[in-house]
Amino acid sequence: AIAPQLRWVHCPSSHLNRLCLPEIEQRGNVLVSFTKVEQLFQIAEYLFSVVLAFAKNLFQWKDVYRFPNLVWDCKWRGKMLTLENKIFLQVGLGSVGQALAKKAVESGMRVYGVDKTTSFKPHCFKQFNYNQLEMVLPEADVVSIALPREQGLQVQFTKELIEKIKNDAILTILGSPRIVDEPVLVEQAPRFRGILIDAYYQNPIPPQSKLWTIPNLLITPEVAPRPKSQTKEAARTFRFNLRQYLHDNYSDMKNLVDPQVAYIPDTEIS
């Protein structure tokens, strides 16, 4: 309100909710751009460390060895999982989603990708759109949700969708836990081998949330992108966009977003 001549805002990260997007959208003449995630390697590395931990029952072994007499005969020895030839379903094929798909291929998995469109993605064995999600979910051994933050919540995992996920599958969510219906997730969680929610640091899961009561759920405070990269991509992107802006080449600016689409209300989970 006190900056009537404001025409462009560049966010140095993809945390667009830090901006006053509703007011920017209402103004109607302000460009918004951002720097894409730089820590793609770190994110993929973190997610697969958790997937492997669930696959190899690492969290269970920590509990089992408190009873040395039972370790050698415990049920977890017979429930080890290998990722080779398993189906990795990547929901959301932005830069993060594609990095996860690449890591899954390197781990010997077959990647099914789900996005708004079925445009070619090099690491996907098969591709589907969001309307086909219900059809493909029962095939997935690992369901990875990483929707581009700047696009908002493109898909909601309702009770019907969660029930389509097979027993003993691994579910990972990078970003907003509001993608999944919380009461249904609490109810369905025992069917899963493990669940990860690496939730937005700026929108923490409140202490009273029932998500904290799920034994096989790991909640982390947006640590997947850490440690932060030392590259200067944010400065390079801003410098490029500034050059285009000064020459009125708005269509050539990188990473422009629609404030109305990018805005996600900061509502708490009850």
Side-chain angles (χ1 to χ4, degrees):
I2 62 174
Q5 297 185 60
L6 179 66
R7 294 293 180 270
W8 170 40
V9 176
H10 181 81
C11 185
S13 73
S14 57
H15 296 65
L16 298 179
N17 265 19
R18 297 177 181 180
L19 305 180
C20 49
L21 292 173
E23 291 81 0
I24 290 174
E25 194 274 332
Q26 186 176 14
R27 179 79 67 84
N29 62 349
V30 180
L31 297 171
V32 177
S33 61
F34 70 101
T35 298
K36 287 188 176 180
V37 177
E38 300 178 55
Q39 293 83 26
L40 295 178
F41 182 87
Q42 291 94 316
I43 292 172
E45 188 177 53
Y46 178 75
L47 182 129
F48 269 84
S49 71
V50 176
V51 169
L52 281 168
F54 284 134
K56 304 305 180 184
N57 297 323
L58 293 187
F59 299 111
Q60 281 75 20
W61 291 117
K62 183 70 174 177
D63 291 330
V64 169
Y65 80 54
R66 292 185 299 167
F67 308 96
N69 293 334
L70 302 178
V71 168
W72 308 106
D73 297 320
C74 76
K75 64 180 180 180
W76 302 115
R77 292 185 70 245
K79 292 189 174 182
M80 305 291 280
L81 178 70
T82 179
L83 299 183
E84 186 177 15
N85 293 323
K86 295 295 189 296
I87 293 179
F88 182 90
L89 179 63
Q90 178 56 51
V91 182
L93 289 169
S95 56
V96 171
Q98 292 188 62
L100 297 177
K102 180 176 182 291
K103 194 72 171 179
V105 171
E106 292 171 352
S107 300
M109 304 186 76
R110 289 184 296 159
V111 177
Y112 290 2
V114 180
D115 207 15
K116 291 186 298 183
T117 64
T118 56
S119 58
F120 173 74
K121 298 295 188 299
H123 306 294
C124 293
F125 180 71
K126 292 183 180 180
Q127 285 187 238
F128 307 86
N129 60 43
Y130 290 137
N131 293 329
Q132 298 171 298
L133 188 55
E134 185 174 354
M135 174 188 70
V136 70
L137 272 173
E139 299 185 47
D141 299 287
V142 177
V143 178
S144 167
I145 306 173
L147 299 178
R149 193 182 313 224
E150 68 276 8
Q151 293 178 8
L153 298 178
Q154 295 287 320
V155 62
Q156 192 77 25
F157 272 70
T158 60
K159 178 180 174 118
E160 291 73 22
L161 287 181
I162 295 176
E163 288 179 343
K164 291 291 183 181
I165 302 175
K166 67 166 65 172
N167 292 340
D168 206 40
I170 297 170
L171 172 64
T172 67
I173 302 170
L174 298 183
S176 175
R178 290 185 293 108
I179 292 169
V180 177
D181 187 304
E182 179 184 345
V184 176
L185 186 59
V186 173
E187 174 191 330
Q188 296 287 319
R191 297 196 301 108
F192 294 97
R193 175 174 282 260
I195 305 168
L196 164 71
I197 299 180
D198 189 48
Y200 290 155
Y201 180 79
Q202 292 296 318
N203 303 98
I205 298 173
Q208 66 271 23
S209 170
K210 292 184 179 179
L211 293 176
W212 298 105
T213 67
I214 302 177
N216 59 338
L217 167 61
L218 177 65
I219 298 175
T220 55
E222 199 171 7
V223 297
R226 293 180 179 266
K228 290 188 175 181
S229 172
Q230 298 301 309
T231 62
K232 305 300 181 183
E233 181 62 27
R236 285 196 294 267
T237 301
F238 175 76
R239 187 170 60 242
F240 176 87
N241 279 354
L242 178 60
R243 186 179 299 115
Q244 307 310 313
Y245 180 84
L246 292 175
H247 289 86
D248 297 331
N249 296 328
Y250 307 128
S251 61
D252 292 333
M253 293 174 67
K254 293 180 179 179
N255 307 334
L256 287 175
V257 297
D258 181 344
Q260 187 175 22
V261 174
Y263 175 61
I264 305 174
D266 294 335
T267 55
E268 283 193 347
I269 300 175
S270 58

